[in-house]
Amino acid sequence: MRYSQYFLPTLKETPADAEVISHQLMLRSGMIRKVAAGIYSYLPFGLRSLRKMEQIIREEMDRAGAIECLMPMANPAELWQESGRWEKYGKELLRFKDRKSADFCMGPTHEEVITDIIRNTVSSYRQLPLNLYQIQTKFRDEIRPRFGLMRGREFVMKDAYSFDLDDDGADSSYAKMYQAYRNIFNRCGLNFRSVEADSGAIGGSFSHEFMVLAESGEDGIVSCNGCEYAANVEKAELIYGDIVTPTATLELQKVDTPEQKSIEEVAEFLQLSPQQLVKTLIVQTSDDEVLAVLLRGDHELNMIKLTNLLDVDWVLMAEEDVVKRVTGAPTGFAGPIGLKVRILADAEVQGMADFVVGGNAVDVHFSGANQGRDFEISQFADLRQAMAGDPCPRCDSGKFESWRGIEVGHIFKLGIKYSEAMNATVLDAQGKTQPLVMGCYGIGAGRTVAAAIEQNHDENGMILPMPLAPFQVLVTMLNPKDDQVREAAEKLYQQLLALNIETLLDDRDERPGIKFKDADLIGIPLRVTVGARNLKEGNVELKIRKSGVTSMFSLDEMTPQLQQLVAEGLAFELEK
Ligand code: ATP
Ligand code: MG
């Protein structure tokens, strides 16, 4: 590709509304442009990376025995009503009517459509197992679309669905996908972890997320330093052992805490550590119940654990007016004493006595508070978020380390949730009707490219790994008006094209400074500079974008050198 004829509209300035680096760099390097909130066009340079991502996914899915298909974006409401998700999915499901006033939605995921296909085509266990996948545009009307491709409303996803006769079969389909996902993200050259995850709204029995490690990641993950256990903090289990509640030694006392709002402020004001405080959160559920949840001062509530414990659709922090009605005070001063609602507490609170709690009045706390004596807790449970330093639930000696991650893939064992609701069954070897056991497996293609940039960049631009880079080699001719330079660069370019090496030839009539700045920004992994001075000695310069290392080769040596570096950059070993 010749730069002078290509469409690569780079930007000098960082766009004001782009918060994370991948979003900034994708806009600046002319990969994408915004159309509306969470809706983007892929320009040619960005599309090349997306297509590479898709191709890696496709090859590994095919290798694992999955078969590609393509389902429609527009889904009829009937299918979603059958599964029960038409009501349940909420506002993320974009609904619309066609000209006959029939209800439709834009598919945010495709369990319903695929289950409908399978129930109408598969009737015998002999046709199983089956795993069908597609790479397709999804629409989710996200409440807060942000970070460019990372959290869009319209985005490209690979979604796969497996169908088996029984649980063992489904487990084996799941294991194949788990391995395929590890291969995919290894092939992309990404530093990632596969972690245990909550199976959430999609439902199902177990699940793993694939997380690209990056500081800007929206997810917290913990991994054990002593064994293989790794989990999303939403999911990470904690061990509590036998907890004995210590006896109360202090009297309950009202203390004034003027203008001390946060746990840290109150603790410092009372010359205590946050561990000696208990915070009270007022929450409300989809069942219209209002509850109080107690946690040690330095702990964070895990909404997912709470939602699962209560077996409700959702739990939210209570609105201001609800907090006022229940506690008599604005948000931030709640305490358990005198509350008329059900009180739950994290298990860790069970081992505490003589602590400080909110006083249900502005700037008031109680010290010397004790459960049982001053208020009743109706249930203790694992309700908090795991943190670095917590003991591992799987091995004796390990402790958690914590990381930030970007969820690029998610696999679920669904079980029979959808096949039961939609009556998708087969006859087994005994002629008995059995519901199909399903799994579903997603990868965000655009999000993975963005995550790759999040993990691979410097202050000058992106440094995409070779397998995802739009081009493998950039040949910069420093002065296209110099015949020798132009001829040498053209020769190299033609040789590379003949070897199927994806090459961008910067033949623009621009100053070298501008060419180098663009080269850094667009981050093509291998960069050859053809300039008059080096050419006098018959040489051209190679620069590795990632390391910044430069070296000199003769014009003839350069092509085999690049060929080898490209091959090394694409090489990967299949995990067993
Ligand atoms: P998240 O927790 O980030 O909202 P999710 O758990 O809802 O994602 P899944 O339903 O598991 O997402 O979707 C499978 C994959 O699709 C995700 O792992 C992610 O890579 C991608 N994905 C999901 N939502 C988006 C989005 N809004 N924009 C881009 N990619 C997305
Ligand atoms: Mg997910």
Side-chain angles (χ1 to χ4, degrees), residues 140 142 149-153 155-157 202 209 218-219 407-410 412 442-445 447-448:
R140 295 183 183 177
E142 298 265 355
L149 298 190
M150 204 79 91
R151 184 166 296 286
R153 293 197 293 164
F155 57 96
V156 177
M157 196 205 282
I202 283 202
E209 285 165 339
E218 289 186 285
D219 287 274
E407 180 202 317
V408 288
H410 198 166
F412 301 83
I443 293 180
R447 186 186 281 186
T448 308

Side-chain angles (χ1 to χ4, degrees), residues 315-531:
V315 183
L316 293 173
M317 298 305 295
E319 308 271 349
E320 185 69 31
D321 58 323
V322 177
V323 174
K324 267 208 171 119
R325 172 163 56 75
V326 171
T327 69
T331 303
F333 301 97
I337 298 169
L339 282 191
K340 296 274 184 312
V341 297
R342 184 149 74 112
I343 302 176
L344 305 181
D346 176 59
E348 212 105 17
V349 174
Q350 198 169 3
M352 296 175 69
D354 300 331
F355 43 81
V356 171
V357 293
N360 293 326
V362 174
D363 292 346
V364 174
H365 281 78
F366 283 108
S367 66
N370 283 279
Q371 47 196 306
R373 186 189 72 184
D374 304 321
F375 59 91
E376 289 297 334
I377 291 169
S378 65
Q379 191 181 355
F380 293 99
D382 174 9
L383 289 176
R384 74 172 173 94
Q385 208 107 289
M387 320 190 280
D390 281 331
C392 174
R394 297 289 160 83
C395 71
D396 292 339
S397 51
K399 293 228 178 319
F400 282 161
E401 294 173 309
S402 70
W403 316 83
R404 303 300 303 170
I406 301 167
E407 180 202 317
V408 288
H410 198 166
I411 59 179
F412 301 83
K413 183 174 171 200
L414 288 172
I416 55 172
K417 180 179 155 104
Y418 292 91
S419 46
E420 270 205 324
M422 298 181 64
N423 199 23
T425 60
V426 286
L427 296 181
D428 66 14
Q430 282 73 45
K432 251 185 82 192
T433 301
Q434 303 285 1
L436 287 159
V437 189
M438 292 173 59
C440 75
Y441 317 92
I443 293 180
R447 186 186 281 186
T448 308
V449 174
I453 296 171
E454 224 35 71
Q455 199 172 70
N456 299 281
H457 64 267
D458 63 14
E459 62 283 3
N460 299 317
M462 49 186 198
I463 316 177
L464 272 172
M466 181 74 75
L468 296 180
F471 292 91
Q472 296 159 338
V473 175
L474 173 70
V475 176
T476 303
M477 52 166 94
L478 277 193
N479 180 5
K481 296 207 176 95
D482 179 322
D483 287 344
Q484 255 191 328
V485 167
R486 203 180 55 248
E487 278 161 29
E490 283 286 346
K491 183 176 166 200
L492 187 60
Y493 177 56
Q494 294 303 336
Q495 283 177 353
L496 294 171
L497 289 190
L499 289 168
N500 279 330
I501 293 176
E502 298 161 341
T503 309
L504 183 65
L505 175 68
D506 191 351
D507 57 347
R508 292 176 301 167
D509 191 11
E510 289 283 5
R511 281 183 290 117
I514 291 186
K515 294 189 172 189
F516 289 138
K517 256 200 142 44
D518 277 338
D520 280 338
L521 174 63
I522 64 178
I524 295 173
L526 303 172
R527 210 152 107 187
V528 181
T529 306
V530 184

Side-chain angles (χ1 to χ4, degrees), residues 2 34 76 82 102 199 235 247 266 286 332 391 417 436 449 470 513 527:
R2 288 167 196 281
K34 181 171 165 178
E82 256 191 86
S199 40
K235 164 84 178 175
T247 21
V266 176
S286 52
K417 180 179 155 104
L436 287 159
V449 174
R527 210 152 107 187

Side-chain angles (χ1 to χ4, degrees), residues 55-110:
Q55 192 52 27
I56 291 172
I57 294 173
R58 197 168 269 127
E59 286 170 16
E60 294 309 317
M61 294 304 288
D62 291 350
R63 196 205 300 274
I67 314 164
E68 188 168 5
C69 64
L70 185 58
M71 291 178 263
M73 270 184 88
N75 289 193
E78 292 78 49
L79 289 178
W80 285 74
Q81 281 154 354
E82 256 191 86
S83 72
R85 286 207 288 189
W86 184 257
E87 278 73 37
K88 269 204 162 173
Y89 213 98
K91 290 195 170 164
E92 267 188 33
L93 188 66
L94 183 68
R95 298 150 214 255
F96 61 98
K97 285 185 193 297
D98 71 4
R99 63 166 73 199
K100 293 180 184 146
S101 287
D103 284 315
F104 280 83
C105 65
M106 298 285 252
T109 171
H110 279 73

Side-chain angles (χ1 to χ4, degrees), residues 49-350:
S49 280
L50 180 75
R51 291 284 184 252
K52 289 196 169 183
M53 183 66 223
E54 293 174 357
Q55 192 52 27
I56 291 172
I57 294 173
R58 197 168 269 127
E59 286 170 16
E60 294 309 317
M61 294 304 288
D62 291 350
R63 196 205 300 274
I67 314 164
E68 188 168 5
C69 64
L70 185 58
M71 291 178 263
M73 270 184 88
N75 289 193
E78 292 78 49
L79 289 178
W80 285 74
Q81 281 154 354
E82 256 191 86
S83 72
R85 286 207 288 189
W86 184 257
E87 278 73 37
K88 269 204 162 173
Y89 213 98
K91 290 195 170 164
E92 267 188 33
L93 188 66
L94 183 68
R95 298 150 214 255
F96 61 98
K97 285 185 193 297
D98 71 4
R99 63 166 73 199
K100 293 180 184 146
S101 287
D103 284 315
F104 280 83
C105 65
M106 298 285 252
T109 171
H110 279 73
E111 283 79 8
E112 283 76 1
V113 177
I114 194 84
T115 306
D116 180 54
I117 295 170
I118 297 299
R119 70 177 168 185
N120 292 324
T121 48
V122 173
S123 54
S124 157
Y125 75 98
R126 279 185 235 266
Q127 295 162 278
L128 301 176
L130 260 184
N131 186 335
L132 292 172
Y133 76 96
Q134 62 173 346
I135 298 174
Q136 187 242 23
T137 301
K138 297 280 182 278
F139 198 98
R140 295 183 183 177
D141 204 354
E142 298 265 355
I143 183 165
R144 241 174 270 109
R146 57 196 165 139
F147 306 157
L149 298 190
M150 204 79 91
R151 184 166 296 286
R153 293 197 293 164
E154 186 176 303
F155 57 96
V156 177
M157 196 205 282
K158 184 285 299 176
D159 44 329
Y161 305 88
S162 66
F163 296 86
D164 281 274
L165 174 65
D166 53 28
D167 250 351
D168 285 352
D171 289 351
S172 133
S173 295
Y174 186 92
K176 280 193 194 130
M177 285 295 106
Y178 181 87
Q179 197 50 60
Y181 273 47
R182 292 199 56 89
N183 288 338
I184 288 166
F185 298 118
N186 273 326
R187 271 186 74 173
C188 293
L190 295 171
N191 182 11
F192 71 96
R193 296 274 187 288
S194 41
V195 306
E196 291 184 16
D198 185 76
S199 40
I202 283 202
S205 36
F206 58 86
S207 111
H208 284 88
E209 285 165 339
F210 292 77
M211 297 279 191
V212 168
L213 302 186
E215 267 314 307
S216 58
E218 289 186 285
D219 287 274
I221 55 188
V222 288
S223 64
C224 174
N225 60 12
C227 74
E228 293 292 298
Y229 183 75
N232 192 316
V233 289
E234 289 178 347
K235 164 84 178 175
E237 301 150 30
L238 294 165
I239 37 168
Y240 290 99
D242 293 329
I243 302 175
V244 184
T245 307
T247 21
T249 60
L250 298 180
E251 290 298 312
L252 187 67
Q253 213 176 359
K254 202 177 234 183
V255 283
D256 287 329
T257 46
E259 307 205 4
Q260 310 301 314
K261 288 222 167 67
S262 69
I263 289 283
E264 290 72 29
E265 285 169 356
V266 176
E268 204 183 314
F269 182 81
L270 297 175
Q271 298 192 334
L272 297 169
S273 74
Q275 280 98 319
Q276 292 167 285
L277 272 60
V278 165
K279 57 182 169 195
T280 306
L281 304 175
I282 308 295
V283 299
Q284 55 194 116
T285 76
S286 52
D287 286 2
D288 266 347
E289 184 182 2
V290 177
L291 301 118
V293 182
L294 307 191
L295 293 153
R296 199 172 81 184
D298 58 328
H299 288 157
E300 296 298 330
L301 174 63
N302 183 325
M303 241 359 153
I304 304 249
K305 288 181 180 174
L306 181 60
T307 308
N308 291 343
L309 178 79
L310 295 172
D311 196 18
V312 290
D313 290 341
W314 48 258
V315 183
L316 293 173
M317 298 305 295
E319 308 271 349
E320 185 69 31
D321 58 323
V322 177
V323 174
K324 267 208 171 119
R325 172 163 56 75
V326 171
T327 69
T331 303
F333 301 97
I337 298 169
L339 282 191
K340 296 274 184 312
V341 297
R342 184 149 74 112
I343 302 176
L344 305 181
D346 176 59
E348 212 105 17
V349 174
Q350 198 169 3

